[in-house]
Amino acid sequence: ASTAEGAQKPKKKHSSYVEVNCENEKTFYAKHVICTIPLGVLKEHVSNLFEPKLPRYKTEAVERLLFGAVDKIFLEYERPFLNPEVTEIMLLWESATTPEDIASSWYKKIYSFTKVTETLLLGWVSGKEAEHMETLSMEVVAATCTNILRKFLNDPFVPEPIKCVCSSWKKQHYTKGSYTAIAVGASQSDIESLAQPLFRNVHDKKPVLLFAGEHTHSSFYSTVHGAYLSGQTAARRLLAPEEPPENILECPGSADLNSWIQGIQLEG
Ligand SMILES: Cc1cc2nc3c(=O)[nH]c(=O)nc-3n(C[C@H](O)[C@H](O)[C@H](O)COP(=O)(O)OP(=O)(O)OC[C@H]3O[C@@H](n4cnc5c(N)ncnc54)[C@H](O)[C@@H]3O)c2cc1C
């Protein structure tokens, strides 16, 4: 947020300030706010986070887009047990002939175990199965992974890990998921709707509420660079002079990450 100069609260509270109320009961006043609250949190709380409420085209876009779970499972071992040439163990299960209960089949969604070091494996799991994993204890996840490794390596002596740590992005209060995806029925224009800044009055030159974060970049949603670029765009919009100069010269050969990333050709 671009806060009122020099003080947390402006000397004279003015209707043109945005009020930001924090959980620790602090209040900030700002002329402009850049909101980077993740899509997962917006999905759960959009109806009571903003006063006045966000316009309907935004809340509908929030509903349509997907903010699923992708989680990591780290398994640490006392000593190396895999052939040094093995870098990754990819898992492929036969399709179930009858519908399976997620509680008894979630582990089939673990795509692979990557060797991070000789004594550290990283498993990847996503979707509803990842959400289910987040409800389990580390001991249960570790035992399940050990069974999988013993089965796929055809080796009953695969050791148990000394430590198992899993992420829980869906469960976390301040993320409520991992990253944005375009769900069936949603489109890139929903992301553009999320990115639209809001003006207090139609004649205002600068928006009062801007949005940034990976969920607002129409090409690079779901990525760190999408989040970075969207924040940069929002900040530049606020910092730009109110009347843009007539000739804007592009500076060629800039080493800036922005121009490097913008140069990436996207397929299609
Ligand atoms: C397992 C996994 C692997 C990934 N791999 C890659 C990869 O290889 N490459 C890549 O580019 N990207 C990857 N990503 C995605 C990338 O991490 C995210 O897209 C990026 O971090 C999003 O940045 P952000 O600033 O939009 O959101 P965040 O970094 O989530 O920042 C949002 C902030 O808002 C805060 N917040 C939440 N709720 C509130 C609230 N109500 N009020 C105030 N503040 C709030 C949060 O605490 C947080 O600090 C991965 C993500 C996951 C989960």
Side-chain angles (χ1 to χ4, degrees):
S2 144
T3 49
E5 267 173 33
Q8 195 178 306
K9 191 172 180 175
K11 285 195 183 88
K12 188 178 162 199
K13 194 177 156 193
H14 195 274
S15 64
S16 67
Y17 282 93
V18 184
E19 190 177 314
V20 180
N21 295 308
C22 304
E23 270 183 350
N24 63 4
E25 299 191 345
K26 279 194 174 176
T27 301
F28 292 89
Y29 294 89
K31 288 178 183 165
H32 312 275
V33 167
I34 301 175
C35 171
T36 65
I37 294 176
L39 178 61
V41 178
L42 290 177
K43 274 181 168 294
E44 281 213 17
H45 301 293
V46 75
S47 58
N48 52 22
L49 271 176
F50 301 90
E51 182 57 49
K53 293 191 185 312
L54 292 186
R56 228 169 99 180
Y57 74 88
K58 272 190 184 286
T59 54
E60 286 176 354
V62 165
E63 276 168 30
R64 274 192 294 268
L65 289 163
L66 189 74
F67 201 70
V70 178
D71 278 315
K72 293 180 179 180
I73 305 168
F74 287 98
L75 302 168
E76 190 187 356
Y77 294 89
E78 203 165 47
R79 64 182 78 88
F81 66 95
L82 286 171
N83 185 318
E85 282 170 16
V86 172
T87 55
E88 188 168 13
I89 301 157
M90 311 287 291
L91 311 173
L92 191 61
W93 297 85
E94 285 189 32
S95 313
T97 46
T98 51
E100 288 181 308
D101 173 26
I102 213 163
S104 57
S105 64
W106 70 270
Y107 55 84
K108 293 184 181 174
K109 199 68 177 284
I110 302 175
Y111 334 115
S112 74
F113 289 100
T114 314
K115 199 196 268 176
V116 181
T117 69
E118 289 303 322
T119 53
L120 187 65
L121 290 185
L122 163 59
W124 290 86
V125 60
S126 67
K128 292 280 167 215
E129 290 81 355
E131 286 180 43
H132 179 76
M133 183 206 69
E134 292 185 15
T135 66
L136 303 175
S137 69
M138 300 293 162
E139 290 74 24
V140 169
V141 175
T144 308
C145 291
T146 304
N147 285 340
I148 296 172
L149 288 167
R150 286 178 181 170
K151 181 181 176 76
F152 276 79
L153 296 172
N154 199 18
D155 177 359
F157 299 108
V158 167
E160 285 176 8
I162 49 170
K163 199 168 177 185
C164 171
V165 178
C166 307
S167 61
S168 54
W169 292 109
K170 195 72 185 181
K171 216 165 62 177
Q172 295 298 319
H173 189 57
Y174 294 115
T175 52
K176 294 284 175 191
S178 298
Y179 44 76
T180 301
I182 296 185
V184 175
S187 72
Q188 248 172 323
S189 66
D190 288 316
I191 293 189
E192 282 154 19
S193 295
L194 293 189
Q196 280 297 315
L198 299 176
F199 290 79
R200 187 185 297 275
N201 300 303
V202 276
H203 299 300
D204 284 356
K205 297 258 169 31
K206 296 278 168 78
V208 69
L209 180 58
L210 300 90
F211 297 86
E214 59 84 20
H215 55 293
T216 64
H217 197 290
S218 60
S219 306
F220 301 135
Y221 58 87
S222 86
T223 68
V224 168
H225 45 287
Y228 170 79
L229 290 170
S230 68
Q232 208 176 46
T233 302
R236 283 197 172 135
R237 185 156 191 172
L238 290 179
L239 293 172
E242 298 213 337
E243 298 299 336
E246 280 190 2
N247 295 314
I248 300 171
L249 289 175
E250 286 294 327
C251 176
S254 163
D256 179 36
L257 177 64
N258 188 10
S259 50
W260 176 73
I261 289 170
Q262 302 284 18
I264 293 174
Q265 291 292 312
L266 290 177
E267 284 174 27

